[in-house]
Amino acid sequence: MKIVIADDHEATRQGIKGILEAEQDFEIVGEASNGIEAVEKSSQLRPDILVTDLKMPGLNGIEVTERIKESLTDTRVIILSMY
């Protein structure tokens, strides 16, 4: 499965990436540091899964999900939050 990770904190992105890369069937194809970049990267890379933070600059996780679902109907979105 191709995955894009979006989070405004580098350490969090790297942590998620490390966990997911340990799984044989997962391939991290891109990373984004804000909501706008998450939509752009996902549109370019067409991942199977987008893992995104809830609170990010530009667009929040809900807004990112709405935009992704408009154009990438096969991409599944997982929203993470510390709240």
Side-chain angles (χ1 to χ4, degrees):
M1 300 196 106
K2 298 186 309 183
I3 301 172
V4 169
I5 301 169
D7 195 294
D8 55 326
H9 295 97
E10 174 74 19
T12 303
R13 280 196 319 272
Q14 294 309 311
I16 294 168
K17 183 177 179 180
I19 291 168
L20 295 177
E21 284 182 329
E23 296 298 321
Q24 188 173 2
D25 296 334
F26 294 159
E27 176 188 5
I28 308 306
V29 294
E31 297 180 38
S33 61
N34 63 59
I36 294 168
E37 192 175 275
V39 172
E40 291 171 352
K41 292 266 181 157
S42 294
S43 294
Q44 293 168 0
L45 301 169
R46 306 188 71 77
D48 298 303
I49 300 170
L50 168 64
V51 178
T52 184
D53 188 17
L54 180 62
K55 286 190 82 170
M56 288 186 298
L59 298 170
N60 67 40
I62 301 296
E63 295 165 324
V64 167
T65 301
E66 289 170 346
R67 292 193 184 190
I68 293 298
K69 296 319 291 175
E70 288 175 5
S71 59
L72 301 172
T73 57
D74 291 335
T75 297
R76 300 296 180 234
V77 179
I78 298 171
I79 299 175
L80 301 177
S81 175
M82 63 181 224
Y83 299 102

